[in-house]
């Protein structure tokens, strides 16, 4: 059974930091790309950071570039999202999603991802 389990969300003041984790199981981690998406109330789910495992390739949305860092550990089958300099507009539910690297064309296209976690809430107060 495939599982993606996010953790690490919470309430933080603007300018603060959080580190999200996405623990995975049930698929060949090193053959997959893992992406963090987020969805704010009333907005569409958007991809913000992607890592293609075993290729050391990362992609970032402009909205988080320079503030967020995605990383992974194949031995732990886990992906992290280090979020620094948080802003109120970063408030959202954060999801991790997975797809085989062989099938990934657009890293931030939701339709390409077949496995999703349940999400973790991040709230940034001003």
């Amino acid at each position: 059974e495939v599982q993606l389990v996010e953790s690490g969300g919470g309430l933080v003041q603007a300018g603060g930091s959080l580190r999200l984790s996405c623990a995975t199981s049930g698929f060949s981690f090193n053959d997959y790309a893992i992406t963090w998406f987020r969805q704010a109330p009333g907005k569409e789910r958007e991809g913000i950071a992607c890592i293609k495992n075993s290729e050391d390739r990362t992609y970032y949305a402009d909205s988080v570039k320079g503030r967020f860092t995605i990383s992974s550990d194949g031995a732990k089958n886990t992906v992290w999202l280090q979020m620094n300099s948080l802003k109120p507009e970063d408030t959202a539910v954060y999801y991790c999603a997975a797809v085989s690297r062989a099938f990934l064309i657009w890293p931030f296209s939701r339709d390409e991802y077949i496995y999703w976690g349940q999400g973790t809430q991040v709230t940034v107060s001003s």
Side-chain angles (χ1 to χ4, degrees):
E1 180 187 7
V2 172
Q3 286 192 315
L4 290 85
V5 180
E6 301 96 335
S7 62
L11 174 64
V12 64
Q13 287 189 329
S17 298
L18 281 175
R19 190 191 195 204
L20 305 184
S21 299
C22 173
T24 75
S25 61
F27 58 92
S28 183
F29 184 83
N30 289 332
D31 292 334
Y32 274 66
I34 310 292
T35 293
W36 285 96
F37 288 80
R38 68 184 182 186
Q39 188 166 19
K43 294 188 176 181
E44 292 192 354
R45 193 171 298 188
E46 62 169 343
I48 57 171
C50 172
I51 187 165
K52 298 180 79 172
N53 292 325
S54 299
E55 294 183 23
D56 290 329
R57 287 192 178 187
T58 57
Y59 307 86
Y60 295 95
D62 289 342
S63 58
V64 305
K65 199 172 295 182
R67 300 188 299 124
F68 292 9
T69 303
I70 189 170
S71 60
S72 68
D73 185 335
K76 298 181 178 180
N77 291 349
T78 299
V79 174
W80 295 274
L81 184 68
Q82 178 65 45
M83 305 187 296
N84 298 329
S85 303
L86 283 162
K87 305 174 182 179
E89 51 262 45
D90 294 318
T91 295
V93 177
Y94 284 69
Y95 302 88
C96 58
V99 66
S100 169
R101 289 187 288 120
F103 300 135
L104 183 64
I105 300 176
W106 302 109
F108 296 147
S109 173
R110 293 168 295 170
D111 294 340
E112 298 204 13
Y113 291 83
I114 55 174
Y115 302 128
W116 291 83
Q118 82 291 345
T120 186
Q121 176 71 46
V122 172
T123 302
V124 184
S125 63
S126 56

